[in-house]
Amino acid sequence: MKRRFRRFALFLALGLLFLPGCDLFKYERPFPDEYYSTNFIAGIGFDQFVGADDAVPALAETGSWDCAYRYASGWTTNHYDFLGLTSLGQTAGDYPSVPAGLDPTAPVYRLELDNLAIDGDFEVGNGGAWTTSGGTATWTRIQDPPSSGAYLMRLSAGSGEYIEWTPSLEAAAAGLASYRFAMNVSVTSPDEGKIFLNTEEQGTVSVDSIFVVPTSSISPFGFRFRPSTDESSFTNLRIDNARLTMSAGAVVRLRLTRTQTALTLESGIYEFSVWVREDPSVVAGEDPYPLDTITLTAKSLTNGITGSVPPYNLLSGSGWRKVS
């Protein structure tokens, strides 16, 4: 079963609705007045998205929204869409509290980053293969809270024992061993234990921790959970919401030449912005998962000048917010 993970990588957000904008900063006014009030990319909406096309041009697409990974070695072999940009058939005004500056008739799009860990929230099944070292070590899929319909995995292991989990992965993950991935394992537990990626110890997991594993290889890709010391044990270590996502190249971008904007691009200072909001269809603790941050980057490809904002905390507010 294919699960979807909505998040942003670079300027994209999982479980997020967003709209493009671009305005020229007002300073010294060396150009005609229209340069200081025009949205330069108003005509390049997210309906101009070529990231799902199988045919990749020899040169990176310009004048349309695109996915950076399409130009990476190996993508043309599997043509797997790690990102999805989908029109919801709605407008900003279909959501409450449209702020000043946001056109209520602007179309809304959902950007999704695929979760390569199948059933990583354990709502359907075990999310892969589980084994134990024997003895008293056990793993159990349980509802928590009881009768809630929400599931997680509860682990127990005595001194010197362990439980191993090999997640089920989308087929596309097998061909991306050279890419960098991050696996988050959410731990909701009164106990603590050590976690290993394959045979390498990664750290200690405990109550409400989010465990992130960066790696350049996913074959083999398995986790081992064991007590935090040789003398200790755990009877109620709980894990949930596993996410394996492509991070290198998982970027939605818009490349422009000087004449592909509403007014010809001239040397100067520009402001890029997007309107974003949480996706109300995302349920906390379930797949698809909401994203916590978004990063915007803009740069000149001719002289290397780069402008960016630090990662913006999407959990710090609600409703439509403008990120510039």
Side-chain angles (χ1 to χ4, degrees), residues 22-28 30-31 35-36 40 265-272 305:
C22 183
D23 300 293
L24 189 64
F25 278 129
K26 295 181 178 180
Y27 80 111
E28 296 186 358
F31 303 112
Y35 270 79
Y36 303 90
F40 278 45
L265 289 172
E266 304 289 354
S267 296
I269 298 175
Y270 294 82
E271 178 188 71
F272 177 75
I305 296 176

Side-chain angles (χ1 to χ4, degrees), residues 190-306:
D191 291 340
E192 70 175 27
K194 286 185 177 179
I195 185 171
F196 294 73
L197 174 60
N198 299 328
T199 58
E200 296 183 7
E201 182 177 339
Q202 302 295 322
T204 299
V205 291
S206 56
V207 178
D208 294 330
S209 64
I210 298 293
F211 180 69
V212 181
V213 181
T215 179
S216 59
S217 175
I218 59 169
S219 182
F221 197 91
F223 291 99
R224 175 178 291 187
F225 302 90
R226 56 175 293 179
S228 55
T229 68
D230 291 339
E231 295 77 26
S232 63
S233 63
F234 56 73
T235 59
N236 199 10
L237 185 70
R238 302 183 177 203
I239 67 170
D240 201 0
N241 301 335
R243 318 171 190 183
L244 179 64
T245 59
M246 178 188 185
S247 58
V251 174
V252 166
R253 69 187 184 194
L254 173 64
R255 289 190 169 189
L256 299 168
T257 63
R258 290 185 67 240
T259 59
Q260 287 178 317
T261 53
L263 299 173
T264 301
L265 289 172
E266 304 289 354
S267 296
I269 298 175
Y270 294 82
E271 178 188 71
F272 177 75
S273 62
V274 292
W275 286 94
V276 301
R277 66 162 294 139
E278 67 281 359
D279 186 338
S281 69
V282 174
V283 178
E286 296 182 10
D287 188 355
Y289 308 101
L291 181 68
D292 53 356
T293 59
I294 175 178
T295 300
L296 303 183
T297 299
K299 65 180 179 179
S300 168
L301 299 181
T302 56
N303 57 26
I305 296 176
T306 300

Side-chain angles (χ1 to χ4, degrees), residues 6 66-67 69 94 177 211 213 237 241 289 322:
R6 302 173 190 155
D66 198 1
C67 295
Y69 60 74
D94 291 325
F211 180 69
V213 181
L237 185 70
N241 301 335
Y289 308 101
K322 186 178 182 180

Side-chain angles (χ1 to χ4, degrees), residues 5 21 23 29 36-37 55 58 65 79 103 122 139 149 155 186 189 206 235 257 261 265-266 283 286 296 308 315:
F5 171 40
D23 300 293
R29 293 187 175 271
Y36 303 90
S37 59
W65 295 96
H79 294 289
D103 182 357
F122 310 112
W139 56 271
L155 314 180
S186 177
S189 172
S206 56
T235 59
T257 63
T261 53
L265 289 172
E266 304 289 354
V283 178
E286 296 182 10
L296 303 183
S308 63
L315 303 181

